[in-house]
């Protein structure tokens, strides 16, 4: 959901900036703007001298401008860090039993779980993603079941098989999972 929200906000901001830039370019090329448009011709400036110096002597003007711009910069930085933050652990540290640790890549665990889940009877397609933190990973799985598969059996097989194997092989005490089941679409049979 967060990734979708970021894409929507970014698209809206881009469309707004594109529309404003296109309108300014059109006026600069000589297109007659509507009566409410603030700039009337190609030689019009963005801020006139009177607009730039109108509040210069007011004691609240510069602190308000600096505060507003600071808030905008902080919001932009928060948005950027939220967009760039990794939501999946790159890997897990696995206790090897001899006092050392081994590094298990998150993508390797995901691939192994996906392959094992897809090999289950009644499962047509599977997709497994590893999320959470390195110390507390969690699994999100999507299983597409064949038309004649029993969902309870598929879920039980996944939790006692694939999920249990992953938890044991990574040496985790718990591996919480969210499993979504769906049915593979198929064409209706023709009856003649």
């Amino acid at each position: 959901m967060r990734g979708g929200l970021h894409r929507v906000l970014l698209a809206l901001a881009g469309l707004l900036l594109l529309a404003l830039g296109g309108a300014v370019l059109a006026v600069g090329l000589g297109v007659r703007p509507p009566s409410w448009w603030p700039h009337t011709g190609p030689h019009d400036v963005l801020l006139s001298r009177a607009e730039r110096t109108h509040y210069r002597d007011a004691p609240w003007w510069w602190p308000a401008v600096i505060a507003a711009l600071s808030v905008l910069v902080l919001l932009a930085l928060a948005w950027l860090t939220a967009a760039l933050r990794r939501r999946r652990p790159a890997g897990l540290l696995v206790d090897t039993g001899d006092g050392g640790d081994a590094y298990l890549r998150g993508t390797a665990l995901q691939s192994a779980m996906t392959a094992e889940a897809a090999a289950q009877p009644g499962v047509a397609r599977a997709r497994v993603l590893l999320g959470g933190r390195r110390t507390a990973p969690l699994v999100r799985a999507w299983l597409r079941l064949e038309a004649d598969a029993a969902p309870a059996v598929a879920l039980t097989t996944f939790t006692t098989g694939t999920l249990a194997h992953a938890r044991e092989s990574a040496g985790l005490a718990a591996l919480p999972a969210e499993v979504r089941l769906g049915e593979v679409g198929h064409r209706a049979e023709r009856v003649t």
Side-chain angles (χ1 to χ4, degrees):
M1 176 64 181
R2 288 181 180 168
L5 179 64
H6 287 290
R7 284 190 288 272
V8 168
L9 289 176
L10 189 60
L12 289 175
L15 287 174
L16 177 70
L17 290 174
L18 185 66
L20 286 174
V24 169
L25 180 63
V27 170
L29 292 175
V31 174
R32 189 168 183 271
S35 61
W36 51 267
W37 189 253
H39 307 291
T40 57
H43 301 291
D44 197 8
V45 294
L46 185 62
L47 291 173
S48 67
R49 179 178 288 277
E51 290 170 329
R52 286 193 314 263
T53 59
H54 180 69
Y55 293 111
R56 185 177 283 177
D57 294 331
W60 58 269
W61 173 249
W62 288 114
V65 167
I66 290 170
L69 291 176
S70 298
V71 166
L72 282 175
V73 166
L74 288 175
L75 286 173
L77 286 174
W79 187 16
L80 180 65
T81 49
L84 294 178
R85 186 176 53 223
R86 179 176 282 245
R87 287 181 177 54
R88 295 187 191 116
L92 305 170
L93 289 177
V94 179
D95 184 16
T96 58
D98 60 356
D101 290 331
Y103 182 76
L104 175 62
R105 289 182 43 189
T107 54
L109 185 59
Q110 282 178 186
S111 298
M113 289 181 73
T114 300
E116 187 175 348
Q120 284 181 209
V123 175
R125 287 191 305 265
R127 181 174 175 221
V128 177
L129 290 177
L130 191 64
R133 298 183 315 269
R134 179 184 293 198
T135 57
L138 57 95
V139 171
R140 287 196 177 100
W142 293 267
L143 302 178
R144 294 286 175 201
L145 305 178
E146 298 288 344
D148 59 345
V153 173
L155 182 60
T156 303
T157 306
F158 180 79
T159 54
T160 59
T162 305
L163 195 61
H165 295 154
R167 187 185 71 244
E168 291 165 7
S169 65
L172 299 170
L175 185 57
E178 175 185 320
V179 181
R180 295 185 182 205
L181 303 174
E183 185 180 12
V184 173
H186 57 87
R187 291 183 171 185
E189 293 182 25
R190 280 193 137 162
V191 178
T192 55

